[in-house]
Amino acid sequence: MSKGTTIKDAIKIWEEKNPGQPSAEATLVKLITQQPFIVKMDASLATLVKVEQLALSTNMIEKISNLNGLNNLRILSLGRNMIKKIEGLDAVADTLEELWISYNQIERLNGIECCKKLKVLYASNNKIKAWEGVTSLQALSGLEDLLLVGNPLEEKCTADGNWISEISKKFPSLRKLDGKPIIREDAMDDEEGKE
């Protein structure tokens, strides 16, 4: 297997494709589908000091790491990689609002609870099999948009006919689940009482 593209080399390629825009000044950096694939999030990420949205999707990254110094990061896209667990988010816990980690190998979302400002979590098509895999989300009182379709837990509960009711009970702040608005009975009762 080839060694893979380093973050440093991927940033250099990005700068060649975006002449006149130094990566250190960029707020949006896409390092997606590198050839050969990126396999490691290395310390070169720290050079992206102004980045607000970082896309590292469709690579072969196995571990979330080296996010230190990304003090403005609001959106982190790591979909379609080889990530098995949530870790390394402490460095961006105070700013991260959206985490896109669909199509990975994740069984549990433990490690995400440090991201208190997280509003959007896209974690579809992973390997979450049981409720224990999502309980850490209860620490995220601002979570509004959750995508879990394609996980074994969602597939089983949908087949049983209780996915939406169970998830909306467990996560009352959610407004959107699997791309669809959540309509709660209590919200309907509140609306009727106003008329």
Side-chain angles (χ1 to χ4, degrees):
M1 185 176 140
S2 67
K3 187 178 173 192
T5 302
T6 65
I7 294 289
K8 184 178 181 179
D9 289 343
I11 291 171
K12 186 178 177 186
I13 293 165
W14 182 90
E15 286 180 329
E16 289 168 3
K17 291 180 180 177
N18 296 277
Q21 185 178 18
S23 60
E25 298 293 316
T27 57
L28 169 62
V29 177
K30 293 183 178 182
L31 306 177
I32 57 176
T33 320
Q34 296 294 306
Q35 292 298 324
F37 292 120
I38 295 170
V39 294
K40 183 180 178 191
M41 295 172 67
D42 65 44
S44 299
L45 286 172
T47 63
L48 305 174
V49 292
K50 293 197 176 175
V51 73
E52 293 178 18
Q53 182 174 350
L54 176 60
L56 291 163
S57 299
T58 316
N59 281 292
M60 298 291 280
I61 297 167
E62 293 182 8
K63 183 177 179 182
I64 302 170
S65 60
N66 289 303
L67 295 172
N68 296 352
L70 303 183
N71 299 331
N72 299 302
L73 190 64
R74 294 183 315 101
I75 302 171
L76 178 58
S77 175
L78 289 165
R80 297 186 185 277
N81 275 288
M82 304 297 290
I83 298 166
K84 291 184 172 80
K85 68 180 191 174
I86 306 287
E87 59 189 338
L89 294 176
D90 294 15
V92 294
D94 292 336
T95 58
L96 197 65
E97 296 175 9
E98 299 188 21
L99 179 60
W100 306 349
I101 52 167
S102 295
Y103 294 94
N104 275 287
Q105 309 295 317
I106 299 165
E107 292 184 22
R108 301 169 86 76
L109 295 171
N110 301 24
I112 203 167
E113 57 276 0
C114 65
C115 299
K116 299 295 184 192
K117 292 188 176 177
L118 202 68
K119 295 178 186 172
V120 175
L121 175 61
Y122 297 150
S124 71
N125 299 285
N126 274 286
K127 296 187 174 192
I128 301 167
K129 298 175 186 149
W131 287 110
E132 293 76 38
V134 297
T135 53
S136 57
L137 297 180
Q138 291 175 323
L140 305 176
S141 60
L143 189 63
E144 297 176 358
D145 187 353
L146 179 62
L147 187 66
L148 289 174
V149 71
N151 280 285
L153 173 65
E154 177 273 332
E155 291 169 347
K156 180 192 179 309
C157 291
T158 297
D160 293 346
N162 63 359
W163 175 241
I164 295 170
S165 63
E166 286 298 314
I167 208 96
S168 46
K169 272 190 261 180
K170 292 178 187 313
F171 307 106
S173 65
L174 280 184
R175 293 184 179 170
K176 200 171 173 185
L177 175 64
D178 299 331
K180 298 175 188 154
I182 293 178
I183 299 168
R184 291 184 167 81
E185 293 296 321
D186 55 336
M188 298 290 281
D189 294 343
D190 290 347
E191 288 299 315
E192 290 172 7
K194 291 178 184 175
E195 292 175 10

